[in-house]
């Protein structure tokens, strides 16, 4: 598709070769070409733009996009107000580009403890505009044209377009569900990688694997054995690991979140990504970070200093104070990192019950604040359209928000194009919501079920 | 076998690091040997690792140094701006994600203000993108619209990030210097001009865009209508885009008017205009900026944005929207912050100029912005025993920081390789500083000659 800037045509002097299939042009030919750069090819669509708008327009209960509808904890809000209104008005000005010193220092302390190693705040930590920008920096720093990047499906949708924008080739490997024991609900632990299949995805061209544990959307918390298997492959093939651990605190049923960077041979080849938005229920602050060896982080710094450079100072100052408190209360019951998962586990159980009661089959997540449910029993409400390009679950989710006012996200959003129809009868709910919201969701589901069963 | 990464600066020529990956892949290391690690940076960031700010902000962080270097205010933002942020943070919903391309109340406020300034309809949802500072807007614009095979014209001296951003997009920067038109030392930023014939020569069929910065950092030049028309004519003739960095748009001093090149005939459809909350409201640490332009360009910036950081912080955007609302209502009133800040800065500018003049220097008086450049060669500070390869101004600023406890930024940081020698006798001072900072600078400058005599 060609677009013109204004009415005139553009002249080419350069021969072009590209994977997009542009042919070469001699200096004599004039042609018009798109105004936008080729790196944007195939990455313009975005599920959130559409679904966020739908939720805003139609939903009465929004369990779609992943953000809490409860506030950040008081201590954090107070820290923010102190930072913005305190005597030091320089907190409204630029801070250190690679991360506000108080924040990187406390992050280094905190993660040093968790990883069991010395973490230097200036060289092993970099602050980013949300974990999203941390991911961007990783791909831009390490993925060149032709590099392959392994992505485990289902995946947080931005990994694929980011790899493509960097000129890389995403290579997908699916988590495959094993049937649960009779009469039991499926757990996210039942979705597993086939070891031989995973191993087969590593090639000479593999630059990195993206790991997301706890996993969005399934809620899977990778076990030590699973992580060791991945780690062994990374070491064997000299592959980097981009470890998206934004939900690191949200693990349930006494499960342990294991950081792959702490496994043998992994520190030097792993960038660990975290998020204040998810850790402190403040997604709108957009503060994230990367932790890793200087050998890797130096290149993230180069990308960062040439793209965003600084992150908002006040938010960083407040997050630093939040972490200071958490360091002091680490392991204690008043720690937010203990209270939050405790509360969320209850909400998870509540939503699981609601869904199970009406016949939507939830897959019990071991972590995150997402839950995927099988909507097969509700299919009769949304007839199949055989030749439709759109995956069934996407049509279902749109119908549901428009007709029932309940917003959720189709699981196909988290699969690559070729695999979107593999698991097209699942939708993802976010349960980081007030009790009232979850109750309202339950009411909608109950009413819906009654309407289905009554003549 | 690994080659160390070095960039050599000899005669302004760089040698490039040999690629190690081909070499390391061809070397088979046994599993029992030291662990293989072939991972280096991608091509796109090759040679882009150094940065003038990393050095000079670190050095000037010492509180005993009078910091007139990095461009950040040490004056407080207006109270109402801080209050709006406190109010926003108290609203639960405003601590969570907002609309990716820009918080609705903010894009609406921006469209209001800029519709008035530009005299045209601006759709808040399709014609505006909110970014992480104007820096983020520059990045989004360049990533969206510039690629390998393109040339981008950059006017020297330039805000230093333009060059690495253009290179990171795979394109070639083409430099053209501002030259002073009078013989002898210039007195005003208006004396620095582009040679129209020289500029025209820089345009060719590969020229994708020109980056314009007005008011200009570091010189403070405010491009007048005729100058903008010359640029516009070339853009139209060669079907070139214009990336117009107008972060200092409100900081224009008496006798000068900021003109938006996007308002010239034929330019709206090919211009992305960039603005900054940091510079508008003295809140550089909020890191909010925006790109404004026609939908067919902005939509591509939005695609970049949704694949880089997706959304900007919500409470800051809400506070900014409220602040804009307040000032929009008084745009006919001299108390509007856009004008009152400018007046405040004009007197600081005049004071800064006076201090430098009294020290025997001839500063270039800026017509806009909050920077002032000055030729320091007349001070005759002999630094020939210091590292030969470094430009004079870098050596001078480091020396000045250590021995005079005063910081500035070397101007050659803002030049392409061919022009560094031309500008290496200049340093840049930032004057958006509170009185006590300028007082401290005054003491240093007054005592300068006494110490070096």
């Amino acid at each position: 598709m060609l677009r013109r800037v204004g009415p005139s045509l553009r002249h080419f002097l350069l021969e072009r070769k590209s994977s997009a299939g542009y042919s070469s042009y001699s200096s004599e030919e004039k042609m018009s070409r798109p105004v936008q750069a080729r790196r944007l090819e195939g990455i313009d669509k975005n599920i959130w733009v559409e679904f966020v708008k739908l939720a805003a327009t139609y939903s009465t209960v929004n369990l779609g996009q992943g953000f809490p509808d409860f506030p950040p904890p008081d201590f954090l809000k107070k820290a923010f107000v102190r930072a913005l209104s305190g005597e030091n008005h320089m907190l409204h000005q630029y801070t250190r580009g690679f991360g506000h010193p108080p924040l990187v220092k406390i992050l280094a302390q905190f993660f040093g403890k968790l990883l069991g190693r010395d973490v230097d705040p200036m060289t092993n930590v970099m602050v980013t505009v949300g974990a999203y920008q941390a991911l961007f920096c990783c791909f831009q720093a390490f993925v060149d044209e032709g590099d392959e990047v392994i992505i485990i499906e289902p995946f947080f949708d931005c990994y694929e377009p980011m790899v493509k924008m960097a000129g890389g080739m995403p290579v997908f490997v699916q988590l495959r569900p094993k049937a649960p024991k009779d009469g039991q609900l499926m757990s996210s632990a039942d979705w597993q990688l086939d070891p031989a299949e995973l191993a087969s995805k590593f090639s000479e061209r593999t630059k990195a694997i993206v790991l997301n544990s706890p996993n969005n959307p399934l809620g899977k918390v990778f076990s030590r054995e699973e992580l060791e298997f991945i780690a062994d492959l990374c070491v064997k093939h000299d592959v980097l690991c981009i470890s998206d651990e934004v939900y690191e605190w949200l693990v349930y049923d006494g499960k342990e979140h294991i950081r792959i960077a702490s496994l043998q041979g992994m520190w030097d080849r792993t960038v660990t990504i975290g998020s204040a938005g998810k850790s402190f229920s403040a997604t709108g602050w957009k503060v994230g970070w990367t932790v890793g060896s200087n050998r890797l982080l130096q290149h993230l710094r180069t990308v960062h200093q040439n793209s965003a450079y600084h992150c908002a100072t006040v938010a960083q100052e407040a997050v630093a104070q939040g972490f200071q408190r958490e360091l002091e209360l680490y392991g204690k019951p008043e720690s937010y990192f203990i209270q939050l998962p405790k509360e969320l586990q209850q909400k998870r159980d509540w939503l699981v019950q609601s869904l199970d009661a009406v016949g939507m089959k939830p897959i019990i997540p071991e972590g995150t604040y997402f839950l995927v449910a099988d909507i097969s029993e509700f299919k009769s409400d949304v007839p199949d359209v055989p030749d439709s390009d759109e995956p069934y679950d996407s049509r279902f989710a749109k119908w549901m928000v428009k007709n029932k006012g309940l917003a959720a996200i189709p699981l196909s959003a988290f699969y690559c194009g070729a695999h979107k129809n593999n698991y097209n009868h699942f939708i993802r709910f976010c349960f980081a919501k007030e009790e009232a919201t979850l109750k309202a969701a339950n009411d909608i589901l109950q009413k819906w079920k009654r309407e289905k069963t009554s003549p | 076998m690994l080659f160390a990464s070095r960039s050599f600066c000899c005669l302004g020529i760089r040698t490039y690091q040999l690629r190690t990956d081909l070499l390391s892949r061809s070397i088979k290391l046994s599993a029992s040997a030291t662990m293989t690690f072939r991972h280096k940076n991608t091509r796109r960031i090759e040679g882009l690792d150094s940065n003038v700010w990393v050095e000079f902000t670190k050095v000037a962080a010492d509180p005993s140094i009078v910091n007139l270097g990095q461009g950040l205010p040490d004056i407080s933002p207006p109270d109402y701006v801080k209050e709006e942020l406190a109010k926003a943070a108290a609203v639960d919903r405003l601590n969570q994600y907002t609309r990716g391309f820009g918080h609705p109340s903010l894009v609406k406020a921006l469209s209001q203000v800029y519709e008035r300034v530009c005299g045209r309809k601006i759709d808040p949802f399709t014609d505006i993108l909110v970014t992480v500072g104007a820096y983020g807007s520059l990045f989004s614009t360049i990533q969206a619209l510039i690629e390998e095979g393109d040339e981008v014209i950059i006017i020297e001296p330039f805000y230093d990030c333009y060059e690495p951003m253009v290179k990171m997009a795979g394109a070639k920067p083409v430099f053209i210097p501002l030259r002073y038109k009078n013989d002898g030392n210039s007195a005003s930023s208006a004396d620095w001009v582009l040679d129209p014939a020289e500029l025209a020569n820089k345009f060719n069929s590969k020229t994708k865009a020109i980056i314009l910065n007005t008011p200009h950092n570091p010189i403070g030049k405010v491009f007048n209508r005729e100058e903008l028309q010359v640029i516009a004519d070339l853009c139209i003739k060669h079907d070139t885009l214009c990336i117009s960095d107008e972060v200092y748009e409100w900081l224009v001093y008496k006798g000068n008017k900021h003109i938006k090149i996007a308002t010239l005939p034929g330019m709206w459809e090919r211009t992305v205009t960039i603005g900054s909350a940091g510079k508008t409201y003295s809140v550089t640490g909020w890191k909010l900026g925006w790109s404004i332009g026609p939908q067919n360009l902005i939509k591509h910036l939005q695609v970049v944005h949704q694949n880089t950081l997706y959304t900007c912080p919500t409470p800051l955007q809400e506070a900014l929207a409220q602040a804009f609302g307040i000032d929009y209502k008084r745009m006919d009133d001299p108390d509007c912050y856009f004008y009152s800040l400018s007046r405040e800065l004009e007197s600081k500018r005049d004071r800064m100029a006076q201090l430098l003049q009294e020290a025997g220097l001839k500063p270039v008086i800026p017509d806009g912005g909050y920077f002032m450049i000055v030729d320091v060669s007349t001070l005759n500070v002999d630094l020939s025993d210091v590292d030969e390869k470094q430009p004079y101004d870098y050596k001078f600023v480091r020396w000045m920081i250590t021995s005079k406890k005063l910081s500035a930024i070397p101007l050659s940081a803002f030049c392409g390789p061919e022009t560094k020698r031309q500008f290496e006798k200049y340093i840049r001072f930032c004057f958006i500083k509170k009185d006590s900072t300028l007082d401290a600078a005054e003491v240093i400058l007054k005592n300068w000659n006494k110490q070096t005599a």
Side-chain angles (χ1 to χ4, degrees):
Chain A
M1 80 218 128
L2 298 176
R3 289 181 204 86
R4 297 162 190 222
V5 177
S8 44
L9 299 175
R10 289 178 47 91
H11 216 149
F12 263 84
L13 290 177
L14 201 63
E15 247 191 31
R16 281 181 185 277
K17 285 175 228 156
S18 95
S19 56
Y22 286 90
S23 46
S24 47
Y25 295 92
S26 71
S27 54
E28 307 322 306
E29 270 182 44
K30 282 189 184 195
M31 54 92 65
S32 63
R33 63 166 173 149
V35 68
Q36 75 274 22
R38 277 165 302 175
R39 67 178 66 82
L40 304 192
E41 223 168 279
I43 64 168
D44 48 317
K45 296 270 175 293
N46 183 283
I47 182 107
W48 304 106
V49 177
E50 185 178 14
F51 274 87
V52 166
K53 222 192 295 189
L54 280 170
T57 314
Y58 295 104
S59 75
T60 49
V61 179
N62 186 359
L63 303 190
Q65 193 187 4
F67 61 86
D69 69 356
F70 48 79
D74 277 340
F75 66 83
L76 196 76
K77 291 200 293 183
K78 287 194 179 116
F80 193 86
V81 173
R82 272 197 306 271
L84 75 93
S85 59
E87 269 181 22
N88 182 11
H89 60 74
M90 290 308 284
L91 290 175
H92 291 280
Q93 307 307 331
Y94 293 131
T95 183
R96 176 176 168 269
F98 304 133
H100 187 50
L103 179 55
V104 293
K105 285 183 186 141
I106 193 73
L107 287 172
Q109 253 187 303
F110 210 95
F111 286 94
K113 202 175 138 113
L114 293 170
L115 292 167
R117 67 184 308 127
D118 270 327
V119 172
D120 180 282
M122 299 297 147
T123 58
N124 297 140
V125 181
M126 188 181 84
V127 176
T128 54
V129 181
Y132 212 96
Q133 197 228 342
L135 290 159
F136 178 74
C137 287
C138 287
F139 294 120
Q140 290 285 311
F142 298 116
V143 178
D144 255 324
E145 195 148 336
D147 285 340
E148 290 180 4
V149 178
I150 298 172
I151 296 174
I152 299 167
E153 290 180 303
F155 58 92
F156 179 54
D157 69 298
C158 81
Y159 304 156
E160 183 186 2
M162 283 192 184
V163 168
K164 285 178 162 165
M165 191 173 160
M169 276 270 296
V171 170
F172 299 100
V173 61
Q174 292 173 44
L175 285 161
R176 296 184 185 281
K178 292 180 148 52
K181 297 196 182 75
D182 272 339
Q184 287 203 341
L185 289 171
M186 198 179 259
S187 154
S188 57
D190 295 321
W191 289 63
Q192 295 168 8
L193 292 170
D194 177 308
E197 187 183 4
L198 175 63
S200 75
K201 301 292 180 178
F202 282 76
S203 81
E204 287 186 332
R205 287 173 305 279
T206 309
K207 191 67 199 273
I209 178 168
V210 184
L211 175 68
N212 175 218
S213 181
N215 166 283
N216 172 10
L218 281 175
K220 178 181 178 64
V221 175
F222 284 71
S223 69
R224 185 173 290 277
E225 294 69 39
E226 288 172 314
L227 293 175
E228 278 171 351
F229 189 81
I230 294 170
D232 287 346
L233 286 165
C234 286
V235 173
K236 176 178 172 184
H237 294 273
D238 190 19
V239 162
L240 296 177
C241 181
I242 299 168
S243 187
D244 176 353
E245 302 184 17
V246 296
Y247 301 104
E248 56 189 314
W249 302 110
L250 308 186
V251 286
Y252 311 122
D253 309 316
K255 254 207 113 79
E256 193 197 349
H257 168 66
I258 294 159
R259 294 177 172 81
I260 197 169
S262 63
L263 299 184
Q264 180 107 26
M266 291 306 285
W267 168 254
D268 281 316
R269 58 181 67 255
T270 305
V271 177
T272 303
I273 293 171
S275 156
K278 309 297 192 281
S279 300
F280 288 109
S281 310
T283 59
W285 288 22
K286 291 292 289 185
V287 175
W289 52 83
T290 54
V291 178
S293 70
N294 184 49
R295 189 159 59 160
L296 295 180
L297 254 62
Q298 63 180 325
H299 303 310
L300 300 185
R301 291 195 288 270
T302 304
V303 174
H304 183 69
Q305 87 195 18
N306 288 303
S307 58
Y309 206 155
H310 304 85
C311 306
T313 313
V314 182
Q316 291 189 67
E317 175 68 27
V319 172
Q321 291 185 31
F323 263 108
Q324 187 63 54
R325 178 208 193 255
E326 286 304 299
L327 185 66
E328 283 156 22
L329 292 173
Y330 189 75
K332 302 203 170 85
E334 316 97 284
S335 152
Y336 189 69
F337 296 164
I338 288 185
Q339 286 185 335
L340 181 63
K342 199 157 160 240
E343 272 178 44
L344 284 171
Q345 180 168 324
Q346 279 182 341
K347 293 176 192 291
R348 175 197 71 168
D349 295 342
W350 228 87
L351 184 60
V352 164
Q353 248 181 13
S354 290
L355 293 167
D356 195 27
V358 301
M360 280 195 188
K361 294 202 174 50
I363 299 167
I364 305 182
E366 299 155 276
T368 77
Y369 46 48
F370 299 112
L371 185 164
V372 170
D374 182 336
I375 44 89
S376 300
E377 284 193 25
F378 284 73
K379 273 182 149 171
S380 55
D381 282 317
V382 186
D384 215 345
V385 174
D387 293 323
S388 170
D389 268 340
E390 193 178 4
Y392 179 81
D393 56 352
S394 178
R395 286 184 34 250
F396 185 93
K398 286 182 188 170
W399 180 91
M400 186 173 79
V401 71
K402 286 177 184 167
N403 292 279
K404 301 296 174 188
L406 178 62
I409 305 295
L411 195 68
S412 57
F414 305 96
Y415 282 89
C416 70
H419 299 159
K420 278 192 194 301
N421 286 307
N422 289 16
Y423 301 97
N424 60 4
H425 49 280
F426 292 95
I427 55 179
R428 183 198 82 169
F429 294 98
C430 171
F431 54 85
K433 305 292 174 187
E434 301 271 29
E435 224 179 270
T437 313
L438 295 174
K439 185 170 185 313
N442 187 55
D443 291 342
I444 290 175
L445 291 166
Q446 287 288 329
K447 182 163 179 280
W448 190 353
K449 177 165 185 219
R450 280 197 300 275
E451 283 162 7
K452 278 165 68 62
T453 50
S454 55
Chain B
M1 199 166 41
L2 291 172
F3 289 86
S5 165
R6 302 240 286 282
S7 52
F8 293 92
C9 271
C10 290
L11 310 168
I13 297 166
R14 282 175 196 232
T15 56
Y16 289 91
Q17 179 189 358
L18 294 171
R19 291 189 54 74
T20 62
D21 56 345
L22 291 173
L23 205 57
S24 60
R25 285 176 205 224
S26 69
I27 297 169
K28 303 264 187 275
L29 294 173
S30 69
S32 57
T34 44
M35 204 155 49
T36 352
F37 193 87
R38 61 194 154 101
H39 301 282
K40 52 185 279 295
N41 52 289
T42 46
R43 282 188 295 267
R44 69 180 62 86
I45 55 172
E46 186 58 46
L48 305 187
D49 49 316
S50 67
N51 181 285
V52 66
W53 307 109
V54 176
E55 176 183 354
F56 288 99
T57 51
K58 215 190 314 189
V59 161
D62 175 349
S64 71
I65 293 172
V66 179
N67 187 1
L68 301 188
Q70 189 189 9
L72 81 178
D74 67 1
I75 61 177
S76 174
D79 282 337
Y80 63 92
V81 169
K82 295 192 280 185
E83 276 154 26
E84 290 304 332
L85 184 56
K87 277 197 240 164
V91 178
D92 289 350
R93 182 65 185 85
L94 295 177
N95 287 294
Q96 308 304 334
Y97 292 132
T98 183
R99 176 179 171 268
F101 303 143
H103 187 53
S105 59
L106 177 56
V107 292
K108 284 175 191 157
L110 287 168
S111 83
Q112 238 186 353
V113 170
Y114 286 102
E115 274 182 353
R116 193 196 138 117
V117 171
C118 297
R120 72 173 300 131
K121 188 106 190 50
I122 296 173
D123 183 299
F125 299 109
T126 60
D127 300 346
I128 301 180
L129 173 67
V130 175
T131 55
V132 173
Y135 212 95
S137 272
L138 287 160
F139 183 74
S140 298
T141 306
I142 291 169
Q143 284 285 309
L145 305 173
I146 308 294
E147 60 184 345
E148 200 163 323
D150 289 339
E151 291 184 6
V152 177
I153 297 172
I154 297 175
I155 299 166
E156 298 171 298
F158 52 89
Y159 180 56
D160 71 297
C161 80
Y162 302 161
E163 181 186 4
M165 284 191 183
V166 165
K167 285 178 162 169
M168 191 168 157
K172 180 177 165 205
V174 170
F175 300 104
I176 176 168
L178 285 163
R179 299 179 187 284
Y180 51 76
K181 62 183 182 191
N182 295 323
D183 286 326
N185 294 325
S186 81
S188 156
S189 60
D191 297 331
W192 292 72
V193 299
L194 291 174
D195 178 316
E198 189 183 6
L199 179 63
N201 261 339
K202 301 291 179 178
F203 280 77
N204 62 44
S205 57
K206 286 186 270 185
T207 311
K208 188 71 189 276
I210 177 168
I211 301 178
L212 173 68
N213 177 216
T214 180
H216 179 270
N217 173 10
I219 294 181
K221 177 183 178 62
V222 174
F223 284 72
N224 63 35
R225 188 171 290 278
E226 293 69 38
E227 291 172 312
L228 294 176
Q229 194 61 63
V230 168
I231 296 170
D233 289 344
L234 286 163
C235 286
I236 292 165
K237 176 176 176 187
H238 294 272
D239 193 18
T240 300
L241 301 174
C242 181
I243 301 170
S244 189
D245 175 353
E246 302 184 13
V247 296
Y248 303 103
E249 58 187 307
W250 303 111
L251 308 183
V252 175
Y253 307 124
K254 271 198 224 76
N256 295 279
K257 187 173 187 301
H258 173 68
I259 297 162
K260 289 181 163 310
I261 196 170
T263 59
L264 270 55
M267 289 305 286
W268 170 259
E269 57 258 40
R270 61 183 66 255
T271 306
V272 175
T273 305
I274 293 171
S276 156
K279 310 297 193 278
T280 300
Y281 281 108
S282 310
V283 286
T284 59
W286 286 27
K287 285 293 293 196
L288 285 175
W290 47 86
S291 304
I292 298 181
Q295 179 177 8
N296 73 295
L297 295 181
I298 298 296
K299 71 182 175 190
H300 302 304
L301 277 66
Q302 289 174 339
V303 170
V304 171
H305 186 77
Q306 88 196 15
N307 288 300
T308 52
L309 50 97
Y310 205 106
T311 183
C312 295
T314 316
L316 295 168
Q317 292 190 70
E318 173 66 23
L320 187 60
Q322 297 301 322
F324 266 118
I326 290 167
D327 284 300
Y328 175 73
K329 289 192 188 76
R330 43 183 196 171
M331 274 180 91
D332 285 323
D333 186 337
D335 281 343
C336 174
Y337 189 69
F338 308 156
Y339 318 137
S340 67
L341 177 64
S342 186
R343 282 195 304 275
E344 187 184 342
L345 283 173
E346 186 160 353
S347 53
K348 290 182 192 291
R349 174 197 74 165
D350 295 342
R351 184 176 176 199
M352 183 86 238
Q354 198 182 10
L355 298 182
L356 293 168
Q357 284 156 352
E358 283 169 3
L361 291 165
K362 273 208 173 122
V364 175
I365 313 292
D367 287 327
Y370 50 55
F371 300 110
M372 186 177 289
I373 68 168
V374 60
D375 176 351
V376 292
S377 60
T378 53
L379 293 173
N380 286 317
V381 175
D382 183 5
L383 297 164
S384 50
D385 55 339
V386 185
D387 181 10
E388 267 297 298
K389 295 200 203 92
Q390 288 286 304
Y392 180 80
D393 53 355
Y394 270 78
K395 297 194 287 191
F396 183 91
V397 170
R398 288 187 192 120
W399 168 85
M400 189 174 71
I401 289 172
T402 329
S403 57
K404 300 293 179 191
K405 300 291 192 185
L406 177 66
S407 80
I409 300 292
L411 214 70
S412 56
F414 302 97
C415 298
E418 322 256 316
T419 327
K420 281 190 201 290
R421 289 287 171 207
Q422 211 176 305
F423 285 98
E424 67 173 335
K425 50 185 189 167
Y426 289 94
I427 64 175
R428 184 196 82 170
F429 287 106
C430 171
F431 55 85
I432 184 166
K433 303 291 175 183
K434 55 188 191 235
D435 289 340
S436 56
T437 309
L438 296 175
D439 291 342
E442 179 168 11
V443 170
I444 293 171
L445 289 164
K446 279 206 157 96
N447 287 324
W448 190 292
N449 290 321
K450 292 180 192 163
Q451 286 179 323
T452 49

